[in-house]
């Protein structure tokens, strides 16, 4: 008999993808004050995929558990995840501390064990740090098979097929549960959370833990030296004729 799915979906709270980030005055990162935050788009796709797996065959899924590591504000993204269809959730409250992918993966490993998860669907990357590391590190720590950048997922019992878009074609991998999947942009189009579902989600479980509850010490191995805006483009010039254009290009030694 095949196992029931206990899906874990890690969702990160990041600056909304539609907002153009500004560098802070200290040039240590991006200005976060007064800025809209949302679920990282790739995590939203991971959540959507879990919900579709459950909708397709409700009996095959025991639960979808969402987890976020961040400040208390990350409760917002967990509530959205619960409103969309996650059954329960955990916030690992690390305050305003930046947490690097290895520490995130170590905490997720503890949550996998606590929730007895047998499938973890993560985003392929968080759009704030663009690390693209957490899923891979978690697979390494758990010693589970992983299929990254999924554009299609098919589950048949304990066997999972994942298609990935690669240069010039598609690559289809098959693995047995338990496994790790990371999502690419074209896997699906996430739904919106309706207001009534957001209200109902307030009754769904949201547990808060500290990293110390999971026995993980948060240490930074990287130091940000400086964050800079790209150089401003200098103004262009207008030419009247092709001859003038050729002359100008010669002057600039472009031809
Ligand atoms: P990254 O390796 O940082 O690019 O993130 C890849 C994926 O790991 C994200 O799409 C999330 O699914 C998960 N992840 C990373 N950081 C966090 C976090 N702080 N809380 C929850 N999930 C996270």
């Amino acid at each position: 008999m095949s196992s029931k799915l206990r899906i874990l979906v890690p969702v990160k709270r990041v600056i909304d993808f539609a907002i153009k980030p500004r560098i802070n005055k200290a040039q240590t990162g991006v200005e976060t004050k007064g800025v809209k935050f949302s679920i990282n788009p790739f995590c939203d796709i991971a959540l959507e995929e879990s919900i579709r797996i459950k909708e397709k065959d409700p009996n095959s899924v025991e639960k979808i558990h969402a987890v976020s590591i961040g400040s208390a504000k990350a409760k917002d993204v967990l509530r959205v995840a619960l409103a969309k269809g996650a059954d329960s959730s955990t916030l690992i409250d690390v305050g305003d501390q930046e947490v690097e992918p290895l520490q995130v993966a170590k905490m997720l490993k503890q949550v996998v064990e606590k929730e007895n998860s047998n499938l973890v669907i993560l985003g392929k990357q968080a759009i704030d740090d663009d690390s693209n590391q957490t899923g891979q590190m978690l697979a390494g720590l758990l010693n589970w098979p992983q299929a990254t950048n999924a554009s299609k997922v098919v589950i048949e019992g304990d066997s999972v097929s994942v298609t990935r878009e690669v240069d010039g074609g598609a690559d289809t991998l098959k693995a047995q549960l338990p496994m790790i999947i990371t999502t690419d942009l074209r896997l699906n189009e996430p739904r919106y959370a309706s207001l009534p579902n957001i209200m109902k989600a307030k009754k769904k479980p949201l547990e808060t833990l500290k990293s110390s509850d999971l026995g993980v010490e948060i240490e930074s191995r990287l130091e940000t030296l400086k964050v800079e805006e790209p150089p401003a483009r200098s103004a262009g010039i207008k030419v009247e004729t092709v001859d003038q254009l050729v002359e100008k290009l010669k002057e600039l030694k472009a031809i």
Side-chain angles (χ1 to χ4, degrees):
M1 220 189 72
S2 58
S3 350
K4 280 218 177 197
L5 290 166
R6 292 174 299 277
I7 309 175
L8 183 71
V9 188
V11 289
K12 188 173 186 185
R13 178 180 179 268
V14 296
I15 291 186
D16 190 273
F17 76 95
I19 286 177
K20 187 178 180 296
R22 283 175 298 115
I23 310 287
N24 63 16
K25 280 210 189 83
Q27 290 194 306
T28 51
V30 164
E31 184 55 67
T32 53
K33 273 195 207 106
V35 175
K36 181 181 174 203
F37 279 73
S38 308
I39 291 190
N40 176 51
F42 292 105
C43 305
D44 207 12
I45 293 170
L47 176 65
E48 177 67 31
E49 196 60 22
S50 321
I51 300 166
R52 289 188 191 190
I53 293 168
K54 188 172 172 183
E55 284 174 343
K56 196 167 161 220
D57 184 1
N59 287 327
S60 69
V61 178
E62 191 178 312
K63 65 175 171 186
I64 300 172
H65 189 86
V67 53
S68 195
I69 299 162
S71 73
K73 291 182 185 147
K75 279 185 184 169
D76 295 353
V77 294
L78 289 174
R79 290 225 172 83
V80 172
L82 293 167
K84 289 188 183 201
D87 300 297
S88 51
S89 65
T90 305
L91 166 72
I92 301 168
D93 190 342
V94 292
D96 289 326
Q97 224 170 337
E98 290 268 347
V99 190
E100 292 173 12
L102 181 59
Q103 267 70 42
V104 172
K106 284 183 180 173
M107 287 188 244
L108 292 179
K109 177 175 185 270
Q110 297 301 317
V111 180
V112 163
E113 284 163 7
K114 194 165 177 289
E115 297 297 324
N116 197 15
S117 316
N118 52 7
L119 176 62
V120 187
I121 312 183
L122 308 91
K124 75 166 178 186
Q125 78 193 59
I127 61 164
D128 53 357
D129 60 18
D130 280 344
S131 295
N132 190 342
Q133 295 176 15
T134 309
Q136 294 88 325
M137 286 181 171
L138 180 61
L141 292 173
L142 289 164
N143 197 20
W144 286 6
Q146 61 171 316
T148 54
N149 301 17
S151 59
K152 187 173 174 202
V153 175
V154 178
I155 302 185
E156 279 162 341
D158 284 353
S159 153
V160 183
S161 299
V162 175
T163 304
R164 322 163 61 234
E165 285 173 14
V166 289
D167 280 348
D171 174 24
T172 302
L173 305 172
K174 194 167 145 184
Q176 297 296 309
L177 292 174
M179 80 173 293
I180 306 285
I181 297 174
T182 72
T183 61
D184 211 341
L185 203 58
R186 274 187 289 276
L187 179 59
N188 59 49
E189 250 184 62
R191 68 197 62 193
Y192 289 96
S194 69
L195 199 57
N197 283 346
I198 291 179
M199 300 311 287
K200 274 190 237 156
K202 290 193 175 151
K203 294 204 183 88
K204 287 189 177 178
L206 196 166
E207 177 193 31
T208 300
L209 298 174
K210 299 254 176 240
S211 55
S212 53
D213 296 330
L214 300 171
V216 177
E217 206 182 306
I218 300 175
E219 44 159 352
S220 297
R221 298 180 176 208
L222 298 171
E223 183 191 352
T224 303
L225 298 181
K226 200 173 181 190
V227 183
E228 292 173 290
E229 299 269 1
R233 281 177 61 176
S234 51
I237 50 162
K238 274 191 184 161
V239 289
E240 303 290 334
T241 64
V242 173
D243 286 347
Q244 276 181 14
L245 173 66
V246 171
E247 202 179 307
K248 204 76 211 164
L249 289 172
K250 279 188 183 155
E251 214 179 285
L252 296 168
K253 297 198 168 43
I255 52 173

